[in-house]
């Protein structure tokens, strides 16, 4: 019960931390976007106090045309206090501003940052909260991801110990060896070779948890491979497909002119959403194993069974040849009972050899 309460409090602390980071990004978005414009597109200027919550991005204009734009911007500001059809007056004034900029061959954008950048804010907040919770000292409610890492690491240790004991190997003694010696012992044992990678990942992560290694990628790789990719791999692929569907739908709306070029908020949202989902899918695939563990174990068992069938077939063939040779030597002086017994043995051995060859052909295919 205490462990469940600790996990629940850790989850709540994780989401509170992510929400705090999200609120911080929202508060700093205007400053960050202004710095980005000054760095990448200094010809543009940003107006955030005209149409809440939209931003207006305009090209810098000459002093000759400054009066016309200023009058329209002042009219837009006055619409905020209008009492009769404020939305209609706002739309009409936006149209005037759009036409004014087109007459002077300048670009204009009406951007809603709460729509356009919401997926990026959520992703950055969750990613930072994940890293903070991963590398925060263990034992605190803020180290929820670290607690999950310890739990997954402990589950793997228990599983590896059981497998080593079932194959008459000492886990502690084997894991204390160098990597080459350890791999050589595992290959010579009856354990599947997939265990070598799992043992390596387990030991590397244990060294990091004990403070003997400072590589930050060790726990991240372990958590992605044995937690996220294993438990949520199919869910992530499904969400990515859903994000692609949203992107195609929004691009289709843009193609039929239901979304104007000057209002790219929905398009930016769908692009950022699909980018984030593909990035998460890439990290999941990069952290996961090359093959599923069960598939690799089955392949190894099939190879072992194929070798065993080949050995059995060869032994039966040698035994049949020996029986036939002995029978040929004793043909002249044997009784009827001995003759019948020899024939039955030969038929049984022939049938066993035929069945063994059939199994060999099936597994060889």
């Amino acid at each position: 019960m205490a462990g469940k309460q600790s996990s629940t409090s850790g989850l709540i602390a994780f989401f509170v931390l992510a929400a705090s980071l999200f609120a911080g990004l929202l508060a700093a978005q205007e400053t960050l976007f202004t710095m980005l414009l000054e760095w990448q597109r200094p010809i543009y200027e940003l107006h955030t106090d005209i149409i809440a919550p939209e931003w207006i991005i305009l090209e810098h204009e000459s002093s000759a045309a400054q009066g016309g734009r200023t009058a329209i911007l002042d009219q837009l500001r006055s619409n905020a206090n209008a009492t009769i059809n404020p939305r209609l007056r706002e739309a009409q004034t936006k149209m005037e501003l759009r036409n004014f900029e087109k007459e002077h061959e300048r670009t204009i954008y009406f951007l809603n940052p709460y729509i356009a950048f919401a997926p990026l804010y959520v992703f950055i907040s969750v990613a930072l909260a994940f890293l903070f919770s991963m590398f925060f000292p263990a034992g605190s409610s803020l180290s929820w991801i670290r607690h999950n890492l310890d739990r997954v690491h402990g589950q793997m240790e228990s599983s590896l110990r059981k497998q080593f004991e079932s194959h008459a190997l000492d886990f502690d003694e084997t894991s204390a060896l160098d990597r080459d010696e350890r791999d050589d012992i595992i290959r010579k044992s009856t354990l599947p070779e997939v265990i070598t990678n799992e043992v390596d990942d387990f030991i590397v992560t244990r060294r990091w948890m004990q403070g003997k290694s400072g590589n930050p990628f060790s726990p991240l790789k372990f958590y992605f491979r044995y937690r996220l990719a294993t438990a949520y791999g199919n869910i992530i692929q499904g969400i990515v497909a859903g994000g692609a569907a949203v992107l195609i739908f929004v691009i289709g709306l843009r193609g039929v002119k239901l979304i104007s070029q000057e209002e790219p908020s929905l398009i930016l949202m769908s692009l950022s959403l699909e980018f984030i989902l593909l990035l998460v899918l890439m990290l999941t695939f990069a952290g996961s194993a090359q093959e599923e563990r069960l598939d690799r174990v089955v392949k190894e068992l099939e190879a072992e069974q194929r070798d065993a069938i080949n050995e059995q077939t060869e032994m039966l063939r040698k035994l049949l040849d020996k029986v036939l040779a002995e029978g040929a030597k004793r043909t002249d002086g044997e009784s009827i009972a001995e003759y019948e017994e020899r024939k039955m043995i030969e038929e049984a051995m022939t049938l066993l050899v035929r069945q063994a060859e059939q199994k060999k052909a099936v597994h060889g295919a």
Side-chain angles (χ1 to χ4, degrees):
M1 186 66 179
K4 184 177 181 180
Q5 290 177 350
S6 176
S7 177
T8 303
S9 61
L11 180 61
I12 294 174
F14 177 84
F15 280 108
V16 169
L17 177 60
S20 301
L21 293 170
F22 181 79
L25 288 173
L26 288 180
Q29 63 179 352
E30 181 178 343
T31 303
L32 295 174
F33 195 80
T34 302
M35 294 172 58
L36 181 63
L37 279 182
E38 292 176 353
W39 176 42
Q40 290 292 329
R41 292 292 185 268
I43 63 172
Y44 289 101
E45 59 184 33
L46 180 66
H47 296 271
T48 62
D49 60 340
I50 299 175
I51 306 175
E54 288 186 323
W55 293 350
I56 300 179
I57 304 173
L58 302 170
E59 290 187 39
H60 290 293
E61 62 177 353
S62 61
S63 58
Q66 183 70 33
R69 175 190 284 180
T70 302
I72 296 176
L73 292 178
D74 291 340
Q75 187 176 355
L76 278 172
R77 290 188 181 96
S78 66
N79 288 335
N81 300 321
T83 57
I84 301 175
N85 294 328
R87 298 295 298 173
L88 178 60
R89 294 181 60 185
E90 178 182 294
Q92 291 174 347
T93 312
K94 286 172 64 175
M95 182 63 69
E96 292 178 12
L97 181 59
R98 186 183 290 113
N99 294 334
F100 179 82
E101 296 298 320
K102 286 184 177 179
E103 288 178 5
H104 294 82
E105 297 182 351
R106 290 190 296 263
T107 304
I108 180 173
Y109 294 107
F110 297 94
L111 183 67
N112 189 331
Y114 299 97
I115 295 177
F117 306 130
L120 284 175
Y121 294 159
V122 172
F123 174 72
I124 293 174
S125 304
V126 173
L128 291 177
F130 176 87
L131 294 175
F132 183 86
S133 183
M134 169 69 76
F135 297 105
F136 197 80
S140 172
S141 59
L142 294 176
S143 58
W144 179 61
I145 299 296
R146 173 64 185 272
H147 174 72
N148 289 338
L149 174 69
D150 294 343
R151 181 167 54 84
V152 175
H153 191 265
Q155 291 174 351
M156 173 172 280
E157 180 179 8
S158 177
S159 175
L160 290 175
R161 286 186 181 278
K162 291 178 181 178
Q163 294 180 72
F164 271 69
E165 291 174 0
S166 64
H167 291 267
L169 285 177
D170 185 87
F171 176 73
D172 293 325
E173 181 180 347
T174 306
S175 61
L177 299 174
D178 294 336
R179 181 174 181 178
D180 293 338
E181 296 178 352
R182 182 174 63 247
D183 292 350
D184 185 61
I185 290 177
I186 293 176
R187 280 194 298 268
K188 291 179 180 179
S189 69
T190 54
L191 284 167
E193 292 190 10
V194 66
I195 293 293
T196 57
N197 295 328
E198 295 183 357
V199 173
D200 290 341
D201 293 337
F202 172 83
I203 293 175
V204 169
T205 306
R206 183 176 62 181
R207 287 178 53 81
W208 179 85
M209 296 171 65
Q210 294 174 347
K212 299 179 180 179
S213 172
N215 187 358
F217 294 102
S218 298
L220 294 175
K221 175 184 175 182
F222 184 88
Y223 195 79
F224 269 92
R225 173 170 293 182
Y226 299 105
R227 177 57 181 170
L228 296 182
T230 303
Y232 305 108
N234 292 334
I235 296 177
I236 292 174
Q237 294 184 49
I239 294 176
V240 170
V246 172
L247 177 60
I248 292 172
F249 179 74
V250 173
I251 296 299
L253 292 179
R254 173 69 183 89
V256 297
K257 308 298 184 181
L258 292 178
I259 299 178
S260 64
Q261 181 180 357
E262 293 82 9
E263 299 185 8
S265 299
L266 283 176
I267 296 176
L268 288 175
M269 181 199 70
S270 58
L271 287 173
S272 60
L273 177 63
E274 185 62 17
F275 167 75
I276 291 167
L277 293 177
L278 289 175
L279 181 62
V280 172
L281 183 64
M282 180 201 71
L283 293 175
T284 303
F285 282 163
S288 63
Q290 294 295 324
E291 289 183 279
E292 291 294 334
R293 186 183 192 280
L294 181 59
D295 294 339
R296 289 183 287 172
V297 172
V298 169
K299 289 180 180 179
E300 292 180 12
L301 291 177
E302 288 178 349
E304 293 177 0
Q305 187 176 11
R306 191 182 303 114
D307 295 338
I309 291 174
N310 292 337
E311 293 178 2
Q312 292 176 1
T313 303
E314 188 65 25
M315 291 177 60
L316 289 173
R317 191 183 298 279
K318 291 180 179 179
L319 183 58
L320 177 60
D321 293 339
K322 182 179 180 181
V323 170
L324 292 176
E326 291 180 354
K329 294 179 182 179
R330 292 163 25 192
T331 302
D332 297 336
E334 65 182 356
S335 63
I336 295 177
E338 291 174 342
Y339 175 78
E340 293 293 338
E341 181 181 359
R342 180 171 58 82
K343 285 296 183 182
M344 291 177 61
I345 293 175
E346 291 177 359
E347 291 177 0
M349 294 299 299
T350 303
L351 180 61
L352 290 174
V353 171
R354 189 181 299 116
Q355 291 177 349
E357 289 178 346
Q358 290 176 353
K359 290 182 179 180
K360 180 180 178 181
V362 171
H363 287 275

